[in-house]
Amino acid sequence: MAVIAVINPKGGTGKSTTALVLATTLARHGASVTLFDCDPNRNLVAWKDGPSQCPITVTEHGDSTNIGRTLRGEGGRSQFVIADLEGTASLMVASAVLAADLTIIPMQGSAMDATQAHRAIALIEDQAAASGPKPYRVLFTRTKPGFATRDERAIRETMASAGIPIMATDLAERAAYRSMFTYRQSLDELDPQAVNGLDKARENADALASEIVEILRTAREPAHV
Ligand SMILES: Nc1ncnc2c1ncn2[C@@H]1O[C@H](COP(=O)(O)OP(=O)(O)OP(=O)(O)O)[C@@H](O)[C@H]1O
Ligand SMILES: [Mg+2]
């Protein structure tokens, strides 16, 4: 079992998209997945109300006083528990980070996103100071494969030189990821006649899921002394 929190206090950085892509991809590979929609906008609950047959459980959660217990409790039943948080820095977000085995911070390659990603990292490090190591990764979203803007390159370099761990895989800009919400289906269920670039989107999603599984596996191995 693993609990993954997806956070960034800035709105619209790709949190819900990342959470849904990850959840549906892990499920496609046979894992049991519970997705907690902790955002009052309930985009993921709305997605589950659609026609998708993807066997993930989507649960809404709005109580910051028991989010940690709920995520860990559910973790006993599902192999992966993924929490999609609201775009704000709140008690709910801090408690979810505390309960998580891994926190993912999706951000786009802009200075404003980077500032807010740093706020998320400060929040994680604050939790870590009280409770021990809290693994996290920055995930660049909506990137153009093979073309990084100058801003994006500069931001990556600044973060890397500050020792901030960045995922090797990005979540690229793909119409297919938007279409998942439009048609309320998984990448596998979308109609290739209606949605461009499904193969590339699936490939990217697979790479993202494998990297996250690998990070979790490594984090779990006992440290060498
Ligand atoms: N990789 C991507 N490719 C294409 N569109 C994307 C991608 N990631 C996000 N988007 C689009 O960007 C917008 C914001 O994404 P999303 O809702 O996932 O962000 P969020 O961080 O969850 O926002 P909020 O803070 O409001 O909850 C949406 O319209 C979504 O469809
Ligand atoms: Mg969201």
Side-chain angles (χ1 to χ4, degrees):
M1 109 185 211
V3 177
I4 301 164
V6 185
I7 74 161
N8 189 323
K10 184 171 182 295
T13 64
K15 295 178 289 296
S16 300
T17 305
T18 300
L20 185 62
V21 167
L22 185 58
T24 51
T25 303
L26 290 167
R28 178 157 64 87
H29 289 285
S32 56
V33 183
T34 300
L35 190 49
F36 277 89
D37 188 346
C38 306
D39 183 335
N41 290 319
R42 302 282 182 250
N43 289 321
L44 299 176
V45 170
W47 180 86
K48 190 59 184 171
D49 286 341
S52 179
Q53 300 294 311
C54 182
I56 60 170
T57 304
V58 180
T59 307
E60 60 186 286
H61 194 87
D63 185 351
S64 61
T65 65
N66 67 6
I67 177 80
R69 279 169 286 174
T70 307
L71 294 176
R72 298 300 320 174
E74 184 55 41
R77 288 183 283 279
S78 296
Q79 283 167 288
F80 294 93
V81 173
I82 302 170
D84 175 36
L85 279 303
E86 189 182 2
T88 178
S90 61
L91 178 59
M92 178 85 103
V93 175
S95 301
V97 165
L98 203 52
D101 298 296
L102 174 67
T103 300
I104 301 293
I105 308 168
M107 63 168 276
Q108 292 167 40
S110 77
M112 279 181 292
D113 275 43
T115 303
Q116 297 305 317
H118 279 106
R119 279 184 71 205
I121 292 165
L123 183 147
I124 295 167
E125 286 176 347
D126 205 48
Q127 301 295 320
S131 71
K134 289 271 108 202
Y136 71 88
R137 294 292 186 279
V138 166
L139 167 69
F140 278 81
T141 59
R142 305 193 73 170
T143 54
K144 309 259 184 305
F147 176 81
T149 63
R150 213 168 271 209
D151 290 308
E152 186 190 319
R153 278 204 304 270
I155 290 164
R156 278 184 199 266
E157 278 163 24
T158 309
M159 286 187 145
S161 57
I164 293 171
I166 301 171
M167 288 195 60
T169 313
D170 298 344
L171 190 70
E173 170 80 29
R174 295 267 171 222
Y177 299 139
R178 276 192 299 275
S179 296
M180 289 177 80
F181 285 92
T182 309
Y183 299 106
R184 295 189 286 177
Q185 289 176 317
S186 67
L187 291 171
D188 280 326
E189 295 166 320
L190 287 169
D191 176 2
Q193 307 294 334
V195 181
N196 286 331
L198 269 176
D199 282 356
K200 291 258 190 282
R202 253 194 308 260
E203 236 172 70
N204 186 181
D206 282 345
L208 179 75
S210 327
E211 188 178 348
I212 286 178
V213 167
E214 185 58 23
I215 293 166
L216 287 164
R217 202 183 57 74
T218 311
R220 210 164 273 161
E221 279 170 6
H224 295 290
V225 282

